Amino acid sequence: MGKATGFLEIQRKKWPTRPIAERLRDWKEVYRPFPHEDLRKQGARCMDCGVPFCHQGCPLGNLIPDWNDLVYKDRWRDAIERLHATNNFPEFTGRLCPAPCEGSCVLGINDDAVTIKAIEVAIIDQAFEQGWVHPEAPAVRTGKKVAVVGSGPAGLAAAQQLNRAGHSVIVFERADRVGGLLRYGIPEFKMEKRHLDRRLALMEKEGIVFQTNAHVGVDVPVGDLRRDFDAIVLAGGACAPRDLPIPGRELGGIYFAMDYLTLSNKRCEGDTIADEQFISAAGKRVVIIGGGDTGADCLGTVHRQGAVSVHQFELLPRPPDTRAPDNPWPQWPNIFRVSSAHEEGGERVYSVSTQRFLGEGGRVKKLDAITVKMVREGGRVEFKPVAGSEFALDADLVLLAMGFVGPEKLGMLSQLGVALTDRGNVARDANWMTSVPGVFTCGDMQRGQSLIVWAIAEGRSCARGIDAYLMGRSDLPAPL
């Protein structure tokens, strides 16, 4: 490393953000560009580790110490080459990934981890600004055709890798725009869609074809894909939401988080949506059930829409401020975190279970809840009500952000007849092929709800499996 004592001399610096009062008035990204000189110093904190555990934390196998050191040495063009060697879309992961690499950083044993995520974003943003990112079309076409179903990060990664191997790739997306959850699940304040559009334009120049409003198994017959393509990639995600079947669930004003976020994102895209069809938090008392990233996305959105009050419920207890004894490094640190949305307001309520919804005139007006205690018995975790802890809370809008239970089974999956795992995900073999020959799968559709880095990593690995299936061997790199 260029600065062997950097971690002893330089402290971690927080990624600069726009003032809360300013950012709540628009949908632009929360984070400001990190000054390059500050980032060079942050890169200098990367230690000369005997074993860089950030590699095991990153499913993509990103060469993190390499590009940290290159940024410190002001060699930005070399840095983007090392970053792109393992990651197709660092402009997405640098903004959206929770950075398990930082959780595994060796410096994190007794100090603050290196600011890996901020450095990653700065490298790719600098590369685009300097014109270093170009379309990479294959020199020769193989004559093989591959259909990729789903245009989220897994599908896009698989498509780009397969195209670089020389295969002709068509991506089928059931929505009206390409991007999957990157498009309609991620709010604009976390990632402005210009970053997505810029990458998609490059992929089109590379020769990848995108077809929108193409719902495979509904208006695009599965049989057509089987007939017209040499291989199919199932990358449709885990889109079946987890419901809350309690009394009053049928009341109006209770929505799945993704239905709410999609409409908000469509308006940010410039679509005209009638007020009676739009879900707005303006002037409402909002309760978000679910304390994860999707719940935080809803939280930041309701702030910008002008909610009167916001409570975010979490079934689990409040995490500790520092690692617990049973959560040692290099495991992912299960600690209390404050996202940009939490900085902006709202009350987080832990160890709470919603019992029923109450309404007037067919719409929700209140909910009953109770405090619960998490107990472990016989290897199982249970949540037991705390006697006398019942409470009621007024609510005009309830958003269910409790995660997803797997891929949608009706339509494409049932028509293909692919085998499923005991958890309801699409089963695959070591080469990423399903039980149906020539049909492969990757991302949340086979893994279950997970991180963007896992999706991209699986897309890359799936592409290698398909390339080997079509050509007998493959030179495509694969992390998994």
Side-chain angles (χ1 to χ4, degrees):
M1 307 303 293
K3 182 73 170 176
T5 58
F7 71 99
L8 297 172
E9 303 166 5
I10 303 167
Q11 298 299 309
R12 179 182 171 108
K13 188 170 184 179
K14 186 180 178 182
W15 198 339
T17 57
R18 299 164 58 214
I20 292 174
E22 173 189 312
R23 69 196 197 214
L24 287 180
R25 294 196 297 268
D26 59 42
W27 294 91
K28 295 178 181 178
E29 287 183 10
V30 167
Y31 290 98
R32 286 177 165 164
F34 220 123
H36 281 189
E37 186 55 35
D38 290 342
L39 270 182
R40 287 186 63 246
K41 294 178 181 178
Q42 293 300 301
R45 296 185 71 238
C46 191
M47 304 165 65
D48 188 10
C49 303
V51 178
F53 272 75
C54 54
H55 287 177
Q56 75 89 31
C58 178
L60 281 164
N62 280 337
L63 306 172
I64 295 165
D66 288 17
W67 38 262
N68 279 342
D69 187 48
L70 290 167
V71 165
Y72 166 65
K73 294 175 179 175
D74 208 23
R75 293 169 54 186
W76 293 84
R77 187 154 194 170
D78 292 332
I80 187 56
E81 290 179 1
R82 299 304 282 162
L83 180 51
H84 264 154
T86 56
N87 188 349
N88 298 70
F89 315 120
E91 67 271 34
F92 305 159
T93 55
R95 289 176 166 83
L96 305 177
C97 179
C101 53
E102 294 189 13
S104 296
C105 175
V106 174
L107 187 54
I109 295 175
N110 61 355
D111 199 351
D112 293 327
V114 176
T115 56
I116 299 169
K117 183 173 173 177
I119 294 173
E120 179 179 2
V121 169
I123 293 170
I124 183 61
D125 285 352
Q126 171 81 339
F128 272 114
E129 289 171 10
Q130 296 299 322
W132 298 334
V133 185
H134 306 285
E136 296 182 25
V140 178
R141 288 291 178 182
T142 64
K144 303 293 186 179
K145 294 178 61 179
V146 183
V148 177
V149 183
S151 66
L156 293 178
Q160 188 169 62
Q161 293 298 100
L162 288 164
N163 183 72
R164 289 175 176 174
H167 309 306
S168 296
V169 180
I170 298 181
V171 179
F172 294 87
E173 170 55 55
R174 67 180 180 179
D176 59 343
R177 292 184 177 91
V178 176
L181 290 185
L182 292 172
R183 174 72 65 183
Y184 287 137
I186 301 299
E188 194 82 358
F189 59 82
K190 282 183 69 175
M191 186 183 77
E192 294 175 20
K193 300 308 179 288
R194 60 187 176 90
H195 301 295
L196 174 59
D197 292 333
R198 179 177 58 187
R199 180 62 72 170
L200 293 174
L202 281 172
M203 293 177 70
E204 287 183 321
K205 290 179 181 178
E206 292 172 344
I208 298 171
V209 176
F210 296 99
Q211 290 190 11
T212 56
N213 298 307
H215 194 171
V216 176
V218 178
D219 50 29
V220 177
V222 168
D224 289 359
L225 298 191
R226 297 282 286 156
R227 180 193 66 220
D228 298 337
F229 293 88
D230 299 291
I232 300 172
V233 183
L234 307 182
C239 300
R242 189 183 305 278
D243 207 344
L244 185 60
I246 59 175
R249 172 63 180 88
E250 74 285 351
L251 291 168
I254 304 172
Y255 302 95
F256 288 118
M258 208 50 60
D259 295 336
Y260 170 70
L261 293 171
T262 296
L263 289 174
S264 177
N265 277 311
K266 280 180 172 288
R267 276 201 172 176
C268 286
E269 292 275 7
D271 291 355
T272 300
I273 302 174
D275 288 342
E276 58 270 19
Q277 297 176 334
F278 191 68
I279 305 172
S280 176
K284 295 179 180 177
R285 300 162 297 183
V286 181
V287 175
I288 301 166
I289 301 179
D293 288 342
T294 303
D297 292 344
C298 291
L299 181 62
T301 302
V302 301
H303 288 326
R304 284 156 179 77
Q305 289 181 347
V308 170
S309 65
V310 191
H311 291 79
Q312 185 176 9
F313 285 5
E314 172 56 72
L315 184 65
L316 296 169
R318 183 189 185 280
D321 291 326
T322 58
R323 287 181 183 269
D326 61 350
N327 179 215
W329 174 91
Q331 293 178 0
W332 171 250
N334 294 310
I335 60 175
F336 182 72
R337 302 173 191 276
V338 179
S339 72
S340 64
H342 295 124
E343 290 176 343
E344 295 163 359
E347 183 177 344
R348 302 162 81 173
V349 187
Y350 289 94
S351 299
V352 62
S353 173
T354 306
Q355 301 296 292
R356 64 171 177 163
F357 299 112
L358 305 170
E360 296 177 8
R363 294 193 61 83
V364 67
K365 288 297 179 183
K366 184 177 293 187
L367 60 79
D368 288 338
I370 190 169
T371 300
V372 294
K373 181 179 181 181
M374 186 175 75
V375 295
R376 300 179 186 273
E377 296 181 349
R380 295 176 59 87
V381 174
E382 295 185 10
F383 297 90
K384 296 188 175 182
V386 177
S389 66
E390 300 88 350
F391 67 94
L393 190 64
D394 293 333
D396 308 303
L397 174 64
V398 177
L399 301 173
L400 305 181
M402 302 178 296
F404 302 86
V405 295
E408 298 171 0
K409 310 302 190 299
L410 294 178
M412 178 179 68
L413 297 186
S414 61
Q415 291 173 29
L416 280 170
V418 294
L420 303 177
T421 68
D422 55 1
R423 300 186 67 178
N425 301 318
V426 178
R428 66 166 178 89
D429 63 17
N431 298 313
W432 300 84
M433 190 186 294
T434 69
S435 59
V436 179
V439 179
F440 296 75
T441 186
C442 60
D444 290 2
M445 182 159 270
Q446 73 86 27
R447 183 180 182 84
Q449 181 186 2
S450 191
L451 305 179
I452 183 173
V453 280
W454 276 110
I456 297 173
E458 293 199 355
R460 290 172 66 90
S461 296
C462 182
R464 181 183 174 90
I466 295 169
D467 188 36
Y469 168 78
L470 295 176
M471 307 304 292
R473 59 181 296 276
S474 179
D475 293 326
L476 288 175
L480 304 173

